[in-house]
Short mmCIF file of all heavy atoms in Angstrom, two decimals:
data_model
loop_
_atom_site.label_atom_id
_atom_site.label_comp_id
_atom_site.label_asym_id
_atom_site.label_seq_id
_atom_site.Cartn_x
_atom_site.Cartn_y
_atom_site.Cartn_z
N GLY A 1 0.83 -1.19 0.00
CA GLY A 1 0.00 0.00 0.00
C GLY A 1 0.86 1.24 0.00
O GLY A 1 2.06 1.19 0.23
N GLY A 2 0.24 2.35 -0.28
CA GLY A 2 0.94 3.60 -0.24
C GLY A 2 0.23 4.68 -1.04
O GLY A 2 -0.87 4.48 -1.55
N LEU A 3 0.88 5.82 -1.14
CA LEU A 3 0.33 6.99 -1.79
C LEU A 3 0.54 6.92 -3.30
O LEU A 3 1.62 6.60 -3.78
CB LEU A 3 1.01 8.24 -1.24
CG LEU A 3 0.56 9.58 -1.79
CD1 LEU A 3 -0.89 9.85 -1.42
CD2 LEU A 3 1.44 10.69 -1.24
N CYS A 4 -0.52 7.21 -4.03
CA CYS A 4 -0.46 7.29 -5.49
C CYS A 4 -1.15 8.57 -5.94
O CYS A 4 -1.99 9.10 -5.23
CB CYS A 4 -1.20 6.12 -6.14
SG CYS A 4 -0.36 4.55 -6.03
N ILE A 5 -0.80 9.02 -7.13
CA ILE A 5 -1.50 10.14 -7.74
C ILE A 5 -2.13 9.59 -9.02
O ILE A 5 -1.44 9.14 -9.92
CB ILE A 5 -0.55 11.30 -8.05
CG1 ILE A 5 0.11 11.78 -6.77
CG2 ILE A 5 -1.31 12.45 -8.73
CD1 ILE A 5 1.21 12.80 -6.98
N VAL A 6 -3.45 9.60 -9.06
CA VAL A 6 -4.20 9.08 -10.20
C VAL A 6 -5.07 10.19 -10.75
O VAL A 6 -5.94 10.71 -10.04
CB VAL A 6 -5.08 7.88 -9.79
CG1 VAL A 6 -5.88 7.36 -10.97
CG2 VAL A 6 -4.22 6.77 -9.19
N ARG A 7 -4.81 10.59 -12.00
CA ARG A 7 -5.55 11.67 -12.64
C ARG A 7 -5.58 12.93 -11.77
O ARG A 7 -6.60 13.59 -11.64
CB ARG A 7 -6.96 11.23 -12.98
CG ARG A 7 -7.00 10.12 -13.99
CD ARG A 7 -8.41 9.78 -14.39
NE ARG A 7 -8.39 8.63 -15.27
CZ ARG A 7 -9.22 7.61 -15.15
NH1 ARG A 7 -10.14 7.59 -14.22
NH2 ARG A 7 -9.13 6.61 -15.99
N GLY A 8 -4.46 13.21 -11.13
CA GLY A 8 -4.33 14.41 -10.32
C GLY A 8 -4.86 14.30 -8.91
O GLY A 8 -4.71 15.21 -8.11
N ALA A 9 -5.47 13.19 -8.54
CA ALA A 9 -6.00 12.99 -7.19
C ALA A 9 -5.04 12.13 -6.38
O ALA A 9 -4.51 11.14 -6.88
CB ALA A 9 -7.37 12.33 -7.26
N HIS A 10 -4.83 12.52 -5.13
CA HIS A 10 -3.99 11.73 -4.23
C HIS A 10 -4.83 10.61 -3.63
O HIS A 10 -5.89 10.87 -3.06
CB HIS A 10 -3.44 12.61 -3.11
CG HIS A 10 -2.49 13.64 -3.60
ND1 HIS A 10 -2.90 14.89 -3.98
CD2 HIS A 10 -1.17 13.60 -3.79
CE1 HIS A 10 -1.86 15.59 -4.38
NE2 HIS A 10 -0.80 14.81 -4.29
N LEU A 11 -4.35 9.39 -3.77
CA LEU A 11 -5.03 8.22 -3.23
C LEU A 11 -4.06 7.43 -2.37
O LEU A 11 -2.88 7.31 -2.70
CB LEU A 11 -5.54 7.31 -4.34
CG LEU A 11 -6.52 7.90 -5.33
CD1 LEU A 11 -6.82 6.89 -6.44
CD2 LEU A 11 -7.80 8.31 -4.64
N VAL A 12 -4.56 6.89 -1.29
CA VAL A 12 -3.76 6.00 -0.46
C VAL A 12 -4.33 4.60 -0.64
O VAL A 12 -5.50 4.35 -0.34
CB VAL A 12 -3.81 6.41 1.03
CG1 VAL A 12 -2.97 5.45 1.86
CG2 VAL A 12 -3.31 7.83 1.20
N LEU A 13 -3.51 3.71 -1.16
CA LEU A 13 -3.92 2.32 -1.38
C LEU A 13 -3.44 1.48 -0.20
O LEU A 13 -2.27 1.54 0.17
CB LEU A 13 -3.33 1.78 -2.68
CG LEU A 13 -3.72 2.55 -3.94
CD1 LEU A 13 -3.03 1.94 -5.15
CD2 LEU A 13 -5.22 2.55 -4.12
N ILE A 14 -4.37 0.75 0.38
CA ILE A 14 -4.06 -0.09 1.53
C ILE A 14 -4.52 -1.51 1.22
O ILE A 14 -5.67 -1.72 0.83
CB ILE A 14 -4.79 0.41 2.80
CG1 ILE A 14 -4.48 1.87 3.09
CG2 ILE A 14 -4.48 -0.47 4.00
CD1 ILE A 14 -3.05 2.17 3.45
N ASP A 15 -3.63 -2.47 1.40
CA ASP A 15 -3.98 -3.88 1.21
C ASP A 15 -4.71 -4.35 2.46
O ASP A 15 -4.11 -4.45 3.54
CB ASP A 15 -2.71 -4.70 0.99
CG ASP A 15 -2.99 -6.17 0.74
OD1 ASP A 15 -4.16 -6.60 0.89
OD2 ASP A 15 -2.04 -6.89 0.41
N GLN A 16 -5.99 -4.62 2.34
CA GLN A 16 -6.78 -5.01 3.51
C GLN A 16 -6.35 -6.34 4.10
O GLN A 16 -6.67 -6.65 5.24
CB GLN A 16 -8.26 -5.04 3.18
CG GLN A 16 -8.67 -6.11 2.20
CD GLN A 16 -10.17 -6.03 1.89
OE1 GLN A 16 -10.85 -5.11 2.28
NE2 GLN A 16 -10.65 -7.01 1.16
N ARG A 17 -5.59 -7.11 3.34
CA ARG A 17 -5.10 -8.40 3.86
C ARG A 17 -3.77 -8.26 4.58
O ARG A 17 -3.32 -9.20 5.23
CB ARG A 17 -4.98 -9.40 2.72
CG ARG A 17 -6.32 -9.75 2.09
CD ARG A 17 -6.15 -10.51 0.81
NE ARG A 17 -5.53 -9.57 -0.15
CZ ARG A 17 -5.04 -9.89 -1.31
NH1 ARG A 17 -5.08 -11.13 -1.71
NH2 ARG A 17 -4.52 -8.99 -2.10
N ALA A 18 -3.13 -7.10 4.48
CA ALA A 18 -1.84 -6.88 5.14
C ALA A 18 -2.05 -6.82 6.65
O ALA A 18 -3.13 -6.45 7.12
CB ALA A 18 -1.21 -5.59 4.64
N PRO A 19 -1.03 -7.17 7.41
CA PRO A 19 -1.13 -7.05 8.86
C PRO A 19 -1.43 -5.60 9.26
O PRO A 19 -1.04 -4.66 8.55
CB PRO A 19 0.25 -7.47 9.37
CG PRO A 19 0.83 -8.29 8.26
CD PRO A 19 0.25 -7.72 6.98
N LEU A 20 -2.10 -5.42 10.37
CA LEU A 20 -2.50 -4.09 10.82
C LEU A 20 -1.32 -3.13 10.91
O LEU A 20 -1.40 -1.99 10.46
CB LEU A 20 -3.20 -4.18 12.18
CG LEU A 20 -3.62 -2.85 12.81
CD1 LEU A 20 -4.59 -2.12 11.90
CD2 LEU A 20 -4.21 -3.08 14.18
N VAL A 21 -0.19 -3.61 11.42
CA VAL A 21 0.97 -2.72 11.56
C VAL A 21 1.43 -2.22 10.20
O VAL A 21 1.82 -1.05 10.05
CB VAL A 21 2.11 -3.42 12.36
CG1 VAL A 21 2.71 -4.55 11.57
CG2 VAL A 21 3.15 -2.41 12.78
N ASP A 22 1.37 -3.04 9.16
CA ASP A 22 1.77 -2.62 7.82
C ASP A 22 0.79 -1.61 7.25
O ASP A 22 1.18 -0.66 6.57
CB ASP A 22 1.89 -3.83 6.88
CG ASP A 22 3.05 -4.73 7.25
OD1 ASP A 22 3.96 -4.28 7.98
OD2 ASP A 22 3.05 -5.90 6.82
N ARG A 23 -0.49 -1.81 7.52
CA ARG A 23 -1.50 -0.85 7.05
C ARG A 23 -1.31 0.50 7.72
O ARG A 23 -1.41 1.54 7.07
CB ARG A 23 -2.91 -1.39 7.30
CG ARG A 23 -3.23 -2.58 6.39
CD ARG A 23 -4.63 -3.08 6.59
NE ARG A 23 -4.62 -3.93 7.79
CZ ARG A 23 -5.68 -4.28 8.47
NH1 ARG A 23 -6.88 -3.87 8.10
NH2 ARG A 23 -5.59 -5.06 9.52
N LEU A 24 -1.02 0.49 9.03
CA LEU A 24 -0.79 1.75 9.75
C LEU A 24 0.47 2.45 9.24
O LEU A 24 0.48 3.67 9.10
CB LEU A 24 -0.68 1.48 11.25
CG LEU A 24 -1.98 1.05 11.92
CD1 LEU A 24 -1.71 0.63 13.36
CD2 LEU A 24 -3.01 2.15 11.85
N ARG A 25 1.50 1.69 8.95
CA ARG A 25 2.73 2.29 8.40
C ARG A 25 2.46 2.94 7.04
O ARG A 25 2.98 4.01 6.75
CB ARG A 25 3.82 1.24 8.26
CG ARG A 25 4.51 0.93 9.53
CD ARG A 25 5.74 0.04 9.29
NE ARG A 25 6.23 -0.42 10.55
CZ ARG A 25 6.39 -1.70 10.87
NH1 ARG A 25 6.12 -2.64 10.00
NH2 ARG A 25 6.84 -2.05 12.06
N ALA A 26 1.67 2.29 6.20
CA ALA A 26 1.35 2.84 4.89
C ALA A 26 0.60 4.17 5.03
O ALA A 26 0.88 5.13 4.32
CB ALA A 26 0.53 1.85 4.06
N ILE A 27 -0.33 4.23 5.96
CA ILE A 27 -1.07 5.47 6.19
C ILE A 27 -0.14 6.54 6.74
O ILE A 27 -0.18 7.71 6.31
CB ILE A 27 -2.26 5.22 7.13
CG1 ILE A 27 -3.29 4.34 6.43
CG2 ILE A 27 -2.89 6.53 7.58
CD1 ILE A 27 -4.37 3.82 7.35
N ALA A 28 0.71 6.18 7.68
CA ALA A 28 1.66 7.15 8.26
C ALA A 28 2.60 7.69 7.20
O ALA A 28 2.89 8.89 7.15
CB ALA A 28 2.44 6.50 9.40
N ARG A 29 3.11 6.81 6.32
CA ARG A 29 4.00 7.27 5.24
C ARG A 29 3.26 8.24 4.32
O ARG A 29 3.81 9.27 3.91
CB ARG A 29 4.50 6.08 4.42
CG ARG A 29 5.73 5.43 4.96
CD ARG A 29 6.37 4.47 3.95
NE ARG A 29 5.40 3.60 3.30
CZ ARG A 29 5.05 2.39 3.73
NH1 ARG A 29 5.58 1.90 4.83
NH2 ARG A 29 4.17 1.67 3.08
N ALA A 30 2.02 7.91 3.98
CA ALA A 30 1.24 8.77 3.09
C ALA A 30 1.01 10.14 3.73
O ALA A 30 1.16 11.17 3.07
CB ALA A 30 -0.10 8.11 2.74
N LEU A 31 0.65 10.17 4.99
CA LEU A 31 0.46 11.45 5.67
C LEU A 31 1.75 12.25 5.72
O LEU A 31 1.76 13.46 5.53
CB LEU A 31 -0.07 11.22 7.09
CG LEU A 31 -1.52 10.82 7.20
CD1 LEU A 31 -1.85 10.42 8.64
CD2 LEU A 31 -2.42 11.96 6.75
N GLY A 32 2.85 11.56 5.99
CA GLY A 32 4.14 12.24 6.02
C GLY A 32 4.53 12.79 4.66
O GLY A 32 5.05 13.90 4.55
N ASP A 33 4.25 12.04 3.61
CA ASP A 33 4.59 12.47 2.26
C ASP A 33 3.74 13.66 1.82
O ASP A 33 4.21 14.53 1.09
CB ASP A 33 4.41 11.33 1.26
CG ASP A 33 5.42 10.21 1.44
OD1 ASP A 33 6.42 10.44 2.15
OD2 ASP A 33 5.21 9.13 0.89
N LEU A 34 2.49 13.69 2.24
CA LEU A 34 1.60 14.78 1.85
C LEU A 34 1.89 16.06 2.62
O LEU A 34 1.52 17.13 2.18
CB LEU A 34 0.14 14.38 2.08
CG LEU A 34 -0.43 13.42 1.06
CD1 LEU A 34 -1.80 12.94 1.52
CD2 LEU A 34 -0.52 14.07 -0.30
N GLY A 35 2.51 15.95 3.76
CA GLY A 35 2.74 17.12 4.60
C GLY A 35 1.52 17.34 5.48
O GLY A 35 0.46 17.69 4.99
N SER A 36 1.67 17.08 6.73
CA SER A 36 0.52 17.12 7.62
C SER A 36 0.61 18.26 8.64
O SER A 36 -0.05 18.23 9.66
CB SER A 36 0.41 15.78 8.35
OG SER A 36 1.63 15.48 9.01
N GLU A 37 1.41 19.27 8.34
CA GLU A 37 1.59 20.37 9.29
C GLU A 37 0.29 21.10 9.58
O GLU A 37 0.06 21.55 10.69
CB GLU A 37 2.63 21.37 8.77
CG GLU A 37 4.04 20.83 8.70
CD GLU A 37 4.28 19.98 7.46
OE1 GLU A 37 3.54 20.13 6.46
OE2 GLU A 37 5.19 19.15 7.49
N GLY A 38 -0.59 21.22 8.59
CA GLY A 38 -1.84 21.96 8.76
C GLY A 38 -2.98 21.12 9.28
O GLY A 38 -4.11 21.61 9.40
N VAL A 39 -2.71 19.87 9.63
CA VAL A 39 -3.76 18.96 10.09
C VAL A 39 -3.53 18.67 11.56
O VAL A 39 -2.41 18.35 11.98
CB VAL A 39 -3.72 17.63 9.29
CG1 VAL A 39 -4.74 16.65 9.81
CG2 VAL A 39 -3.90 17.90 7.82
N TYR A 40 -4.60 18.78 12.38
CA TYR A 40 -4.45 18.44 13.79
C TYR A 40 -4.30 16.94 13.95
O TYR A 40 -5.06 16.15 13.38
CB TYR A 40 -5.65 18.90 14.63
CG TYR A 40 -5.52 18.38 16.04
CD1 TYR A 40 -4.63 18.98 16.92
CD2 TYR A 40 -6.21 17.26 16.45
CE1 TYR A 40 -4.46 18.48 18.20
CE2 TYR A 40 -6.04 16.74 17.72
CZ TYR A 40 -5.17 17.36 18.60
OH TYR A 40 -4.99 16.85 19.85
N MET A 41 -3.27 16.55 14.71
CA MET A 41 -3.08 15.15 15.08
C MET A 41 -2.65 15.12 16.54
O MET A 41 -1.99 16.05 17.01
CB MET A 41 -1.98 14.50 14.24
CG MET A 41 -2.38 14.14 12.86
SD MET A 41 -1.13 13.11 12.08
CE MET A 41 -0.36 14.32 11.03
N THR A 42 -2.99 14.05 17.20
CA THR A 42 -2.52 13.89 18.58
C THR A 42 -0.99 13.79 18.55
O THR A 42 -0.39 13.42 17.52
CB THR A 42 -3.09 12.62 19.22
OG1 THR A 42 -2.60 11.48 18.50
CG2 THR A 42 -4.61 12.64 19.24
N PRO A 43 -0.34 14.12 19.66
CA PRO A 43 1.12 13.99 19.70
C PRO A 43 1.61 12.58 19.34
O PRO A 43 2.61 12.42 18.67
CB PRO A 43 1.47 14.36 21.14
CG PRO A 43 0.39 15.30 21.55
CD PRO A 43 -0.86 14.77 20.87
N ALA A 44 0.87 11.57 19.76
CA ALA A 44 1.28 10.19 19.45
C ALA A 44 1.22 9.93 17.94
O ALA A 44 2.12 9.30 17.37
CB ALA A 44 0.39 9.19 20.19
N ALA A 45 0.18 10.42 17.28
CA ALA A 45 0.07 10.25 15.83
C ALA A 45 1.16 11.02 15.11
O ALA A 45 1.78 10.52 14.18
CB ALA A 45 -1.30 10.71 15.34
N ARG A 46 1.43 12.25 15.55
CA ARG A 46 2.47 13.07 14.93
C ARG A 46 3.85 12.42 15.11
O ARG A 46 4.70 12.46 14.23
CB ARG A 46 2.45 14.48 15.52
CG ARG A 46 3.07 15.48 14.60
CD ARG A 46 2.70 16.89 14.96
NE ARG A 46 1.37 17.29 14.62
CZ ARG A 46 0.94 17.56 13.40
NH1 ARG A 46 1.76 17.44 12.38
NH2 ARG A 46 -0.29 17.95 13.19
N GLU A 47 4.04 11.78 16.25
CA GLU A 47 5.31 11.08 16.51
C GLU A 47 5.50 9.91 15.55
O GLU A 47 6.60 9.62 15.10
CB GLU A 47 5.31 10.58 17.96
CG GLU A 47 6.62 9.96 18.39
CD GLU A 47 6.57 9.57 19.86
OE1 GLU A 47 6.17 10.40 20.69
OE2 GLU A 47 6.95 8.42 20.15
N LEU A 48 4.41 9.25 15.19
CA LEU A 48 4.48 8.13 14.25
C LEU A 48 4.71 8.63 12.82
O LEU A 48 5.50 8.05 12.07
CB LEU A 48 3.17 7.32 14.30
CG LEU A 48 3.05 6.15 13.34
CD1 LEU A 48 4.09 5.09 13.64
CD2 LEU A 48 1.66 5.57 13.41
N VAL A 49 4.05 9.71 12.44
CA VAL A 49 4.14 10.24 11.08
C VAL A 49 5.47 10.93 10.84
O VAL A 49 6.03 10.85 9.75
CB VAL A 49 2.96 11.19 10.80
CG1 VAL A 49 3.14 11.92 9.48
CG2 VAL A 49 1.65 10.42 10.79
N GLY A 50 6.00 11.62 11.83
CA GLY A 50 7.23 12.41 11.69
C GLY A 50 8.37 11.67 11.01
O GLY A 50 8.92 12.15 10.01
N PRO A 51 8.75 10.50 11.48
CA PRO A 51 9.87 9.78 10.85
C PRO A 51 9.57 9.29 9.44
O PRO A 51 10.47 8.91 8.70
CB PRO A 51 10.11 8.59 11.78
CG PRO A 51 9.42 8.91 13.04
CD PRO A 51 8.32 9.86 12.71
N MET A 52 8.31 9.28 9.05
CA MET A 52 7.92 8.77 7.74
C MET A 52 7.99 9.84 6.65
O MET A 52 7.75 9.55 5.50
CB MET A 52 6.48 8.22 7.78
CG MET A 52 6.28 7.13 8.78
SD MET A 52 7.16 5.66 8.23
CE MET A 52 6.70 4.51 9.51
N ARG A 53 8.26 11.07 7.03
CA ARG A 53 8.27 12.17 6.06
C ARG A 53 9.31 11.93 4.97
O ARG A 53 10.36 11.37 5.21
CB ARG A 53 8.57 13.49 6.73
CG ARG A 53 7.49 13.93 7.66
CD ARG A 53 7.69 15.39 8.02
NE ARG A 53 6.81 15.75 9.08
CZ ARG A 53 5.50 15.96 8.94
NH1 ARG A 53 4.96 15.86 7.77
NH2 ARG A 53 4.75 16.29 9.96
N VAL A 54 9.00 12.37 3.77
CA VAL A 54 9.93 12.26 2.65
C VAL A 54 11.05 13.27 2.87
O VAL A 54 10.78 14.43 3.14
CB VAL A 54 9.19 12.54 1.32
CG1 VAL A 54 10.17 12.56 0.16
CG2 VAL A 54 8.13 11.50 1.09
N ALA A 55 12.28 12.82 2.77
CA ALA A 55 13.42 13.69 3.02
C ALA A 55 13.60 14.74 1.92
O ALA A 55 13.96 15.88 2.18
CB ALA A 55 14.69 12.86 3.16
N SER A 56 13.33 14.37 0.69
CA SER A 56 13.55 15.30 -0.41
C SER A 56 12.32 16.15 -0.66
O SER A 56 11.20 15.76 -0.37
CB SER A 56 13.91 14.55 -1.68
OG SER A 56 12.79 13.83 -2.14
N SER A 57 12.50 17.33 -1.23
CA SER A 57 11.37 18.20 -1.53
C SER A 57 10.53 17.69 -2.69
O SER A 57 9.40 18.08 -2.86
CB SER A 57 11.87 19.61 -1.84
OG SER A 57 12.72 19.58 -2.97
N GLY A 58 11.07 16.78 -3.48
CA GLY A 58 10.33 16.24 -4.62
C GLY A 58 9.64 14.94 -4.28
O GLY A 58 9.48 14.07 -5.12
N GLY A 59 9.21 14.78 -3.04
CA GLY A 59 8.64 13.53 -2.57
C GLY A 59 7.45 13.06 -3.38
O GLY A 59 7.37 11.90 -3.74
N LEU A 60 6.49 13.93 -3.66
CA LEU A 60 5.31 13.51 -4.39
C LEU A 60 5.65 13.11 -5.82
O LEU A 60 5.07 12.18 -6.36
CB LEU A 60 4.24 14.59 -4.39
CG LEU A 60 3.56 14.82 -3.04
CD1 LEU A 60 2.58 15.98 -3.16
CD2 LEU A 60 2.88 13.59 -2.53
N ASP A 61 6.61 13.80 -6.44
CA ASP A 61 7.03 13.42 -7.78
C ASP A 61 7.64 12.03 -7.77
O ASP A 61 7.38 11.22 -8.64
CB ASP A 61 8.05 14.42 -8.33
CG ASP A 61 7.44 15.78 -8.58
OD1 ASP A 61 6.21 15.85 -8.80
OD2 ASP A 61 8.18 16.77 -8.55
N ARG A 62 8.44 11.75 -6.77
CA ARG A 62 9.07 10.44 -6.64
C ARG A 62 8.00 9.37 -6.46
O ARG A 62 8.05 8.31 -7.07
CB ARG A 62 10.03 10.42 -5.44
CG ARG A 62 10.67 9.06 -5.21
CD ARG A 62 11.48 9.03 -3.93
NE ARG A 62 10.72 9.41 -2.76
CZ ARG A 62 9.84 8.63 -2.12
NH1 ARG A 62 9.62 7.42 -2.57
NH2 ARG A 62 9.22 9.04 -1.05
N ILE A 63 7.02 9.66 -5.63
CA ILE A 63 5.93 8.71 -5.40
C ILE A 63 5.14 8.47 -6.67
O ILE A 63 4.83 7.33 -7.01
CB ILE A 63 5.01 9.20 -4.27
CG1 ILE A 63 5.78 9.20 -2.96
CG2 ILE A 63 3.75 8.37 -4.17
CD1 ILE A 63 5.14 10.00 -1.86
N ALA A 64 4.82 9.52 -7.39
CA ALA A 64 4.04 9.38 -8.63
C ALA A 64 4.77 8.53 -9.65
O ALA A 64 4.17 7.70 -10.33
CB ALA A 64 3.73 10.75 -9.20
N ARG A 65 6.10 8.70 -9.76
CA ARG A 65 6.87 7.91 -10.71
C ARG A 65 6.95 6.45 -10.29
O ARG A 65 6.94 5.55 -11.11
CB ARG A 65 8.28 8.49 -10.85
CG ARG A 65 8.34 9.77 -11.63
CD ARG A 65 9.77 10.14 -11.95
NE ARG A 65 10.61 10.21 -10.76
CZ ARG A 65 10.81 11.30 -10.02
NH1 ARG A 65 10.21 12.42 -10.33
NH2 ARG A 65 11.59 11.28 -8.96
N ALA A 66 7.01 6.20 -8.95
CA ALA A 66 7.19 4.84 -8.45
C ALA A 66 5.90 4.06 -8.42
O ALA A 66 5.91 2.84 -8.41
CB ALA A 66 7.80 4.89 -7.05
N CYS A 67 4.79 4.76 -8.41
CA CYS A 67 3.49 4.08 -8.26
C CYS A 67 3.09 3.45 -9.59
O CYS A 67 3.19 4.04 -10.64
CB CYS A 67 2.43 5.09 -7.82
SG CYS A 67 0.84 4.32 -7.54
N SER A 68 2.57 2.25 -9.50
CA SER A 68 2.14 1.57 -10.71
C SER A 68 0.62 1.59 -10.85
O SER A 68 0.03 0.66 -11.38
CB SER A 68 2.64 0.13 -10.68
OG SER A 68 2.13 -0.53 -9.55
N CYS A 69 0.00 2.64 -10.34
CA CYS A 69 -1.48 2.75 -10.37
C CYS A 69 -1.97 3.01 -11.77
O CYS A 69 -1.53 3.82 -12.47
CB CYS A 69 -1.95 3.87 -9.46
SG CYS A 69 -1.46 3.59 -7.75
#
C-alpha cells in the first residue's frame, strides 16, 4: 500500500489483507509524504508520522513515478 497520484488525485492504497501494523505504516507514510503540518493530530500520531516524512522536496514526484497505479 501507499500513496499514489491518479488523474491528479492523491489516493492511499491499503492492502486489507496486510497485517494491521503494515496498514498503519502505509497510512503514516502517506500522511508524512503529503505534509501534515496543517492537520491536527494527537502527539502520538504526529510522533508516528514524523519519521515517515519524505526527506527530499520532490517527494510527491518520486511517489508518482514509483506508483504503478
Side-chain angles (χ1 to χ4, degrees):
L3 181 65
C4 287
I5 301 172
V6 179
R7 296 184 185 135
H10 294 90
L11 301 175
V12 179
L13 301 178
I14 305 294
D15 182 352
Q16 67 182 8
R17 295 168 293 170
L20 178 60
V21 68
D22 292 342
R23 290 182 280 162
L24 291 172
R25 281 189 190 124
I27 293 169
R29 274 193 314 269
L31 285 171
D33 291 346
L34 285 172
S36 55
E37 293 80 22
V39 177
Y40 173 76
M41 283 191 257
T42 64
R46 203 163 285 286
E47 186 176 310
L48 178 64
V49 171
M52 302 290 183
R53 293 194 190 284
V54 175
S56 69
S57 61
L60 289 177
D61 292 335
R62 178 187 55 77
I63 293 164
R65 287 190 305 270
C67 183
S68 60
C69 300

